[in-house]
Amino acid sequence: MSANDFDVVIVGGGHNGLVAACYLAKAGLKICILEKNESLGGATVSQKVFTDFDARLSRYSYLVSLLPDQIILDLGLDFEVLSRDVASFTPELVESENSGLLITTEPSEETEANFELLTGNLEEYAAWQSFYGELHQMAQAIAPTLLKPLPSRSELRAIVGQPIWNDIMEAPLGEAIERRFKSDLVRGIVLTDGLIGTFADAHDFAANRCFVYHLIGNGSGEWKVPRGGMGKLVAELTRLATELGVQIETNSQVIAIKNNSAGFEIETETGPTYQSKYVLANCAPQTLAKLAGTPMPESLDGSQVKINMLLKKLPRLKSGIDPKLAFAGTFHFDERYTDLQLAYAQSAAGYIPDLIPAEMYCHTLTDDSILSPELNAAGYQTLTMFVMHTPANLFDQNHDQVKTEIKSKVIHQLNKYLLDPIEDCLALASDGSLCIEVKSPQEIEKEIGLPRGNIFHKDLSFPFREDGEAASWGVETAIPNLFLCGAGAIRGGGVSGIPGHNAAAAVLERLKG
Ligand SMILES: Cc1cc2nc3c(=O)[nH]c(=O)nc-3n(C[C@H](O)[C@H](O)[C@H](O)COP(=O)(O)OP(=O)(O)OC[C@H]3O[C@@H](n4cnc5c(N)ncnc54)[C@H](O)[C@@H]3O)c2cc1C
């Protein structure tokens, strides 16, 4: 083998590429990762966004649910995720009074009382308990299948059971939500899990697919805070990959993948060419199509704006709730069901929605290790906001103007619920600017290569194959020995390591013959 000859070349050093590399190197294979950026991690990174301050923000992805404990155990990673006591808080006016719905992570009398206050009786709470109880059973059934070859539709249906299978997999999500819940606010909170990173109407199956992945992680669907931030995961994977002898080349953009009888030849923009028997593509399938001539997948554009903030203090709320409770879980605002549906319709028609649905959370209330001791002592906090239904096409013309308009609209909306305007709470940089950064889908594409800013590379797929389709790991492509190992694989999407694990498993299975 020459120096540039490998068993497996991995195109892209996102967390999934690193997971695949670790499994394969542990199995004794010679592995090379080619990453186009200066640093590894892709959408899973911590960065000092505001250079005056030692605050390492999870710049893109921020919460973890889908990463199976098994991967952490298999690879012996020093990586921990922390539960939050509060699942969510949604501010709302009740009879002209500022109030809100606080939902604790575990069932509680407080949550029950809040549902009663917000909806007038306990029916909605009972509907919530029953729906999420069934979803928990669905999660328990699906989670153990995620690191195995794809089950068929009938196999998965048999283990998930009815009626939840039909509600989630066979009928538009909006039908189940409208049948099971009456409150516009509660319906909206449920629907958001179908729309994070997915531009869809409640009656579009894209929302069902997105909903599934938001509810099944580790058999509970609980979204947890990564201790040390997202970059900690990539730092651990990089440490292990390096110890296992994986060759990692950054600033190495792959420009072509050619296959011949001997295997693959991988060309980079900087010059060196690499040879391998197998190629794993951690880049998006759309990128792979350009590099290797595989079919170009159809996909929705990304539809979110990400806002990162560093604060001197948390704002107080008009409802009077303690900010440490309100911002510890997901703080939903203007995400009522009718808000979401109207915002979708307006964006789909090419307009910035009148009311832009958004949600955010404070990392540092659960894990202050991302701030320096000095910032912690001074009471600094972070907020990360995910703004929905702002698809890439809105920004195609007048990018900067649209970005400014969306930012000011969302800030104005948020301030409606706050006693202290958010601007008064933001940290000030030495040049006098406020510590807030806004990322459009186009900027996300430019920085980390997510096509049109789609956070899952491309639209998600249900976690099964159709009956009669050939057995697979969900990572295969039209070219033998070339596998997807990133978010664009079936059961990819999110910070999960699942497609990385499954691509490695597919290679090892082929090698066994
Ligand atoms: C704003 C935002 C918020 C999100 N929030 C969450 C969240 O809270 N929780 C969650 O689970 N998920 C979240 N996601 C989604 C999640 O981050 C991604 O789905 C996941 O990180 C994808 O990981 P990956 O390793 O498959 O791909 P990526 O992270 O996209 O990595 C792919 C790598 O390939 C490299 N690459 C691309 N093309 C080439 C080439 N030609 N040559 C060499 N290298 C190349 C890229 O530079 C990149 O490093 C979010 C994403 C975004 C953008």
Side-chain angles (χ1 to χ4, degrees), residues 129-145:
Q129 290 284 83
S130 145
F131 188 47
Y132 282 93
E134 289 173 54
L135 287 169
H136 184 74
Q137 282 174 12
M138 178 187 88
Q140 293 273 308
I142 296 179
T145 68

Side-chain angles (χ1 to χ4, degrees), residues 284-299 451 457-458 478:
Q286 296 89 317
T287 309
L288 180 65
K290 291 179 196 151
L291 300 178
T294 50
M296 180 62 76
E298 290 205 354
S299 177
H457 289 182
K458 72 173 206 20

Side-chain angles (χ1 to χ4, degrees), residues 15-16 35-36 43-44 60-63 254 282 455 457 487 494-495:
H15 83 285
N16 273 313
E35 165 56 47
K36 76 169 179 180
T44 310
Y60 306 102
S61 57
Y62 46 100
L63 286 170
V254 172
N282 184 200
I455 72 167
H457 289 182
V495 177

Side-chain angles (χ1 to χ4, degrees), residues 31 68 85 118 141 149 154 170 187 195 259 297 312 328 336 352 462:
I31 312 296
D85 293 339
L118 261 285
S154 332
E170 308 283 359
R187 283 177 172 179
L195 303 180
N259 59 325
K312 296 175 286 192
R336 297 164 204 90
I352 298 174
F462 280 127

